[in-house]
Amino acid sequence: MLITQVSKNKCFGGHVVKYEHHSEELGCDMKFNVFLPKESITQKVPAIFFLSGLTCTEDNFIQKSGAMAEASKHGIALIAPDTSPRGVSIEGDSDSWDFGTGAGFYVDATEEKWAKHYRMYSYIVKELHALVMQQLPINEERVSVMGHSMGGHGALTIYIKNPSQFKTASAFSPIANPSNCPWGQKALSGYLGSDKETWKAYDTVELLKSHLNQKLDILVDVGTADNFLAKELLIDQLEETVKQLGRETEFTIRRQEGYDHSYFFISTFIADHIQHHANLLKK
């Protein structure tokens, strides 16, 4: 399976390249952006996958976060995929901003209506990961994952379940306990059905309880002025679970005074997050 270059722009000595390919997992054509630092011209480089949030495409993070300036300092590539299948023929997939198009939730759907196309978990972990490692100058032994909101949920769950692929994780304003918040309940019931036991495979709080021997290295930032903090993100539940399990040394959870859910927040702390990843990826 080949990736096709759509555009290329020089950036901080490297390049931001948009690629397109046909996804077998999703049954449609998909686009993703990659920042390749100048070091990638002569050698394979470490990389961070960034998973975006509800309504976003592959462009939001690349255009708004300011991450390339920081990634270029460390010689690290950034990989920014889309958030859902695009252009598939499913009735109602564009009816809601928080379900369907732009809201794949990084799960593999099992409900018949969605199961053929909505396989964002396998798309990220299996298909896109393999394509990038095969066709771009990325060091597959030095890869990590981070994300925002829905993508923060995706980054944390993917990291916990795939420690051999991803060396560390970080998240901005993650949906930490989707089984117990409106966004998560809508998505998980829609994609996976009513059996809440199946939801646990895509819930960070629940995964922590079932992966007790998995060594973790996670940074989480959330703003105290985030409108979704109490109802949707459930960071308190994450923090309480971390403490109950005695895993405080594996988690850094920071509450940033006065910051909201936006890319202004992300851009303020993106340097900290890339440094967090660089500490492990460059060892």
Side-chain angles (χ1 to χ4, degrees):
M1 191 69 63
L2 295 176
I3 57 176
T4 302
Q5 181 177 305
V6 176
S7 63
K8 183 177 183 179
N9 299 91
K10 191 166 185 178
C11 183
F12 291 99
H15 290 88
V16 172
V17 189
K18 183 186 289 288
Y19 293 102
E20 184 173 21
H21 73 105
H22 180 76
S23 169
E24 295 294 337
E25 286 286 353
L26 307 180
C28 64
D29 291 340
M30 294 291 287
K31 293 184 176 72
F32 64 98
N33 284 306
V34 179
F35 169 70
L36 291 170
K38 61 181 181 298
E39 289 85 349
S40 66
I41 297 171
T42 58
Q43 64 189 50
K44 291 187 175 183
V45 296
I48 306 168
F49 279 75
F50 185 91
L51 308 184
S52 293
L54 291 165
T55 75
C56 290
T57 70
E58 73 279 3
D59 291 330
N60 295 72
F61 173 72
I62 291 294
Q63 294 177 358
K64 295 181 177 181
S65 69
M68 284 80 73
E70 298 304 321
S72 68
K73 295 176 184 177
H74 297 283
I76 292 177
L78 302 171
I79 302 158
D82 205 345
T83 55
S84 77
R86 298 285 171 173
V88 297
S89 298
I90 301 176
E91 183 182 358
D93 70 340
S94 297
D95 288 354
S96 302
W97 67 271
D98 56 356
F99 185 83
T101 302
F105 251 82
Y106 306 100
V107 306
D108 283 351
T110 54
E111 289 293 282
E112 183 177 0
K113 181 177 181 180
W114 308 99
K116 179 180 179 181
H117 295 291
Y118 276 76
R119 298 180 51 79
M120 287 300 295
Y121 175 85
S122 286
Y123 173 68
I124 299 297
V125 173
K126 298 177 182 178
E127 187 172 33
L128 185 61
H129 185 277
L131 281 174
V132 167
M133 299 311 139
Q134 291 165 5
Q135 300 186 42
L136 296 177
I138 304 299
N139 184 336
E140 64 180 326
E141 296 181 356
R142 298 185 178 187
V143 178
S144 64
V145 61
M146 65 176 169
H148 171 230
S149 193
M150 176 185 73
H153 138 79
L156 297 183
T157 56
I158 284 172
Y159 166 61
I160 293 170
K161 294 163 71 172
N162 298 276
S164 64
Q165 283 181 249
F166 303 97
K167 304 308 178 188
T168 184
S170 71
F172 295 93
S173 314
I175 303 171
N177 187 201
S179 299
N180 291 308
C181 74
W183 281 345
Q185 290 170 341
K186 181 176 181 177
L188 297 178
S189 63
Y191 294 132
L192 304 177
S194 60
D195 182 1
K196 293 186 178 181
E197 283 298 309
T198 66
W199 299 6
K200 292 181 179 180
Y202 300 104
D203 186 309
T204 298
V205 166
E206 296 298 330
L207 285 171
L208 288 175
K209 299 173 185 176
S210 61
H211 288 68
L212 296 176
N213 296 322
Q214 177 60 47
K215 191 176 185 305
L216 303 174
D217 187 86
I218 294 174
L219 169 64
V220 172
D221 269 321
V222 66
T224 61
D226 191 316
N227 291 335
F228 307 111
L229 179 58
K231 185 177 180 180
E232 302 287 3
L233 306 184
L234 305 187
I235 302 299
D236 286 348
Q237 283 83 332
L238 174 62
E239 201 163 33
E240 181 179 342
T241 300
V242 168
K243 290 179 180 178
Q244 288 176 347
L245 297 176
R247 309 196 74 162
E248 292 96 329
T249 61
E250 300 174 317
F251 264 83
T252 300
I253 300 174
R254 309 189 305 187
R255 296 172 187 269
Q256 304 293 358
E257 184 65 33
Y259 286 90
D260 58 21
H261 200 73
S262 71
Y263 268 88
F264 297 113
F265 166 54
I266 294 174
S267 64
T268 301
F269 297 101
I270 192 64
D272 289 356
H273 282 245
I274 290 178
Q275 182 66 62
H276 167 82
H277 291 265
N279 289 342
L280 276 183
L281 296 181
K282 297 178 70 179
K283 280 186 178 179

